């Protein structure tokens, strides 16, 4: 099991980072694939088989919605693996450990600054409490 977790930890650069600017996100993922909204600023990025819809407020990423990139038929495929979810949380905890609630459907950082929700359609949403 540890090699699998290590593999997903190596993939952490694919996951969004709360607190990054739009320019930092462009460096991390390349140019956004779609402008979803101007007020607030919401951009769609694609990287390593994931779609990242990132909402910016006060010029930094405050909310990130992660899904698998759909295939040609529009299917998003399997749910996020537990190791993928853990890697996403680790990348966005700002140094604070995450606490799982409701059977792994909700998470919050121990310092109470960030939270995340994982649903059955393979979506993982994280947001900064300052939003």
């Amino acid at each position: 099991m540890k090699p699998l977790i290590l593999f997903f930890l190596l993939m952490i650069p694919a996951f969004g980072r709360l607190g990054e600017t739009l320019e930092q996100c462009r460096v991390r993922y390349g140019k956004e694939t779609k402008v979803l909204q101007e007020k607030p600023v919401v951009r769609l990025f694609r990287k390593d088989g994931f779609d990242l819809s990132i909402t910016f407020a006060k010029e930094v990423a405050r909310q990130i919605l992660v899904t698998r990139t759909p295939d040609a038929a529009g299917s998003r495929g399997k749910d996020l693996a537990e190791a993928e979810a853990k890697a996403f949380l680790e990348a966005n905890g700002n140094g604070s450990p995450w606490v799982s609630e409701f059977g792994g459907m909700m998470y919050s950082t121990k310092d109470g600054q960030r939270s995340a929700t994982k649903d059955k359609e393979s979506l993982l949403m994280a947001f900064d409490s300052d939003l």
Side-chain angles (χ1 to χ4, degrees):
M1 182 69 169
K2 286 189 181 190
L4 182 62
I5 291 173
L6 179 61
F7 170 75
F8 286 114
L9 287 174
L10 292 173
M11 288 181 57
I12 284 177
F15 293 113
R17 296 289 193 290
L18 293 168
E20 286 189 339
T21 65
L22 177 57
E23 198 54 45
Q24 287 172 312
C25 289
R26 286 176 175 149
V27 168
R28 183 179 297 280
Y29 315 114
K31 183 150 174 58
E32 58 268 36
T33 59
K34 192 172 189 181
V35 173
L36 299 175
Q37 192 172 305
E38 285 298 337
K39 298 267 181 185
V41 174
V42 183
R43 300 292 187 265
L44 177 67
F45 295 89
R46 285 205 165 139
K47 178 92 174 179
D48 297 335
F50 293 97
D51 282 359
L52 298 102
S53 173
I54 303 177
T55 303
F56 296 86
K58 300 178 187 174
E59 300 186 15
V60 297
R62 298 291 181 163
Q63 179 173 301
I64 302 169
L65 178 63
V66 179
T67 62
R68 291 196 184 281
T69 300
D71 61 19
S75 171
R76 293 201 183 269
K78 62 184 179 175
D79 289 347
L80 290 174
E82 186 66 26
E84 290 171 318
K86 283 183 180 182
F88 176 80
L89 294 170
E90 178 69 26
N92 284 283
N94 200 30
S96 182
W98 288 88
V99 178
S100 174
E101 304 171 43
F102 303 106
M105 297 291 289
M106 297 182 75
Y107 302 86
S108 60
T109 54
K110 201 168 189 176
D111 66 8
Q113 295 299 305
R114 298 175 182 210
S115 60
T117 305
K118 184 178 184 309
D119 75 15
K120 294 178 183 177
E121 282 83 41
S122 72
L123 303 175
L124 185 65
M125 186 170 79
F127 50 92
D128 188 323
S129 66
D130 289 340
L131 184 57

